[in-house]
Amino acid sequence: MRDSYDYLVVGAGLSGLVLAERLRSIGRSCLVVERRNHIGGNCHDRKDRNGLFFHVYGPHYFRTNSELVRTYLSRFTEWNDAKYRVNVFAGGTYWSFPINLGTFRQFSRNPAATEDDFKAYLARSAVPIASPANSKEAILAAVGVELYEFFYKGYTQKQWGRPAEALDASVTRRIPIHTGLDERYFRDEFQALPKNGYHPMFEAILEASKADLRLETDYREVLPLVRYRHLIYSGPLDEYFDCRYGALPYRTARYALEELAEDQVPAGGFVQPVLQVNYPGPEPFTRTVELKHVTGQVSRCSNLVREFPAEYRPGESDPNYPVPGSESDALAARYRELAEREPGVTFIGRLAQYRYLNMDQVVGAALHMFDKLRERQP
Ligand code: FAD
Ligand code: UDP
C-alpha cells in the first residue's frame, strides 16, 4: 500500500472493481479496500470438495439486454449459455414456474387447458386494481387471489420477514407471468454464466485495474493511513452516515451448502428436477439451487445450496437485500439526499444506492459513473 492514491474504493464487488478498472484506463490509481476475505462481493463463487461450482451468497444468474454491459464483461470472461429453470415445490408436487399455461394446467387439473382458457381464468380472477401500490396488489391484479396465495404469499413473507403489502410492487413484478407455455424466469436476450465461474472474472478485472487491494479491512481503518482525492463507496448507505437518522432495513440469508457424493445422487446425475426449486410453504428455507444444471460440469456428484432468510443485524451477517417499500422509502430518500451533498464521495451499487439492482444494472451504472467522473475530474 502506498501513502497516496487518486481514488479510495470501498468494496471489491462488481461496482468497486469495475470502476477501479475503468479509472485505470485513464491512468488513475486506486486502493480497493474490502471488509470480506475475498473479492467479488455477493457474486462470489467457489468449487466444493468435488470440484463443482456453488454460489456462496445465493444464486447469481447473469442476464442482460445491454450490449454495452455484455461487451465490457466479455473482456474478462467467456460465457456458458444458461437456461435458468425454476420450479415451485408445494403440496408434495413440483409446479411449473413462473406462472404459465403449464402451471394453470396443473392447478386446474386439466392437462388439455388452452391459452384461451387460462386468459379467461385470469380475466375472471384478476382483481381490478388500476395502479397496484404494493407487491400483493401487483400479483392480485395480474393473477387473482388463488394463485397469489399459493405461489407468492408465503414465499414473500418468508423471504422478507414482512407481508407482500409492505413491499414495493416492483419486488414481485421482477418475475414474469406467461399465458403460453414459456417457462423462462427471465426475458433478457443474453442469459449466461462466466465459463470458469465468477471468481476468475473478478480476478481478471482486478488485474486490469492494477489497483492495490486490502482484504479483511474496513475502510475506516485505512483513512488515517492514506491520502486520496476522491472516495468511491459501495458499502451500506446508512452505515456511511453512522445511521444518524436510524438504520435502514436489510434482509440477509444463511446459505447452507450440501456436498453430495455419488451414492447420494440418483443415476440421472441430479437431485432436483431443475436448477432452482422455490418453497412457498412452511419449510424454514426459501429455495434450493443445484448449480450443476447450468455450469456444464459433468460429474456423478452434485451439490445443493439451501437459502434460509433472516433479518440483518450489523456485525453478525452481511446486508444482502435492501427492502424496497413503505417502511424504508422515506428514510432511504433522506440518506440519498445526504449522499448527494457529501463532497468528494461517489455512492455506487446495491447497498450504497439502497436499490434492488441486478448485476448488469450495477455494471451499467458503474460504466455510466465512470463517464461522469472523467468529465468532472479530467
Ligand atoms: P456488493 O457485491 O454487495 O459489494 C459491496 C462490497 O463492499 C462487499 O463485498 C462488502 O463486503 C464491501 N463493504 C461494505 N462495507 C465496507 C466497508 N465499510 N469497508 C470495506 N468494505 C466494505 N443479480 C443478478 O443479476 N442476478 C441474480 O441472480 C442475482 N441474485 C442475487 C441473489 C442474492 C441472494 C443476492 C444477495 C443478490 C443477487 N443479485 C443478483 C444482485 C447482485 O448480487 C448485485 O447486483 C451485485 O453483487 C452488486 O454489486 P455491488 O458491488 O454493488 O455490491
Ligand atoms: N416470489 C414469490 N414466490 C416465488 C418466487 C418469487 O413470491 O416462488 C416473490 C418474492 O417476493 C421474491 C420476489 O418474487 O422476493 C422476486 O423473486 P426473485 O426470484 O427475483 O428473487 P431474488 O432472486 O431477487 O431473491
Side-chain angles (χ1 to χ4, degrees):
M1 192 171 95
R2 308 199 310 244
D3 60 8
S4 104
Y5 293 87
D6 293 317
Y7 289 85
L8 174 60
V9 178
V10 180
L14 260 186
S15 305
L17 289 188
V18 167
L19 258 181
E21 187 281 326
R22 288 291 69 217
L23 289 164
R24 170 70 198 182
S25 73
I26 53 164
R28 300 290 181 267
S29 60
C30 293
L31 171 63
V32 178
V33 182
E34 169 56 56
R35 209 147 56 173
R36 294 175 178 172
N37 63 2
H38 59 77
I39 59 172
N42 279 334
C43 309
H44 185 51
D45 61 358
R46 272 193 231 139
K47 285 183 180 169
D48 70 5
R49 65 166 177 243
N50 300 311
L52 296 174
F53 287 114
F54 70 100
H55 290 171
V56 178
Y57 302 101
H60 277 72
Y61 306 142
F62 187 80
R63 73 269 186 179
T64 191
N65 285 321
S66 164
E67 193 54 43
L68 181 72
V69 168
R70 176 183 167 177
T71 306
Y72 173 76
L73 288 180
S74 300
R75 290 174 44 206
F76 307 102
T77 186
E78 291 177 54
W79 302 95
N80 269 344
D81 281 345
K83 289 194 169 55
Y84 304 121
R85 287 284 182 269
V86 177
N87 278 178
V88 163
F89 187 78
T93 302
Y94 288 100
W95 300 83
S96 178
F97 197 77
I99 293 172
N100 68 86
L101 176 57
T103 325
F104 179 67
R105 286 177 176 167
Q106 290 179 287
F107 207 78
S108 59
R109 294 204 180 85
N110 176 9
T114 63
E115 185 161 0
D116 285 342
D117 295 335
F118 188 24
K119 283 182 177 163
Y121 168 87
L122 292 177
R124 278 195 314 276
S125 309
V127 182
I129 305 172
S131 325
N134 57 54
S135 266
K136 178 179 177 180
E137 290 187 5
I139 300 303
L140 290 182
V143 295
V145 176
E146 215 176 10
L147 292 173
Y148 164 75
E149 291 196 340
F150 195 82
F151 289 106
Y152 286 87
K153 188 178 174 182
Y155 187 101
T156 300
Q157 174 67 43
K158 191 161 38 166
Q159 162 70 11
W160 297 96
R162 29 185 78 65
E165 294 90 305
L167 296 161
D168 195 85
S170 60
V171 172
T172 46
R173 272 198 190 134
R174 285 167 59 81
I175 307 177
I177 288 160
H178 307 284
T179 52
L181 284 170
D182 191 350
E183 287 189 303
R184 284 174 310 157
Y185 209 62
F186 311 114
R187 291 197 165 115
D188 306 60
E189 271 166 38
F190 182 69
Q191 306 193 21
L193 288 176
K195 201 169 192 165
N196 300 310
Y198 285 103
H199 189 64
M201 179 184 90
F202 279 103
E203 280 184 322
I205 302 174
L206 176 66
E207 194 183 320
S209 79
K210 304 246 180 335
D212 284 343
L213 171 70
R214 286 280 295 258
L215 292 176
E216 295 183 88
T217 308
D218 193 292
Y219 81 103
R220 289 170 206 241
E221 293 167 38
V222 305
L223 289 180
L225 309 177
V226 288
R227 281 176 292 124
Y228 55 88
R229 286 167 40 201
H230 194 87
L231 184 78
I232 290 173
Y233 181 80
S234 71
L237 177 59
D238 53 345
E239 204 181 294
Y240 179 89
F241 296 103
D242 298 319
C243 299
R244 72 175 70 155
Y245 298 143
L248 282 165
Y250 296 91
R251 204 61 183 153
T252 189
R254 180 168 64 83
Y255 305 96
L257 169 70
E258 292 165 36
E259 296 169 285
L260 302 163
E262 281 180 33
D263 60 354
Q264 295 171 289
V265 180
F270 296 100
V271 290
Q272 62 182 36
V274 289
L275 168 66
Q276 177 177 311
V277 178
N278 292 351
Y279 292 83
E283 303 85 356
F285 48 90
T286 43
R287 53 189 175 186
T288 54
V289 174
E290 188 175 23
L291 203 63
K292 205 176 80 171
H293 279 283
V294 287
T295 58
Q297 290 179 293
V298 178
S299 168
R300 290 288 316 282
C301 306
S302 194
N303 65 37
L304 269 192
V305 174
R306 204 176 289 272
E307 189 165 332
F308 295 84
E311 198 67 13
Y312 164 67
R313 298 193 204 300
E316 284 175 27
S317 51
D318 294 308
N320 282 354
Y321 293 88
V323 184
S326 46
E327 174 191 350
S328 63
D329 278 355
L331 188 55
R334 289 180 76 195
Y335 279 117
R336 284 194 204 106
E337 253 173 51
L338 279 184
E340 267 164 35
R341 293 203 307 266
E342 186 73 357
V345 184
T346 295
F347 292 80
I348 52 159
R350 179 142 146 152
L351 299 174
Q353 292 185 292
Y354 199 75
R355 293 193 200 284
Y356 192 169
L357 300 173
N358 291 327
M359 291 179 275
D360 64 327
Q361 295 171 302
V362 162
V363 173
L367 297 177
H368 182 64
M369 183 54 75
F370 167 67
D371 289 337
K372 281 174 63 179
L373 288 173
R374 185 165 51 173
E375 270 167 34
R376 252 187 265 155
Q377 296 163 20

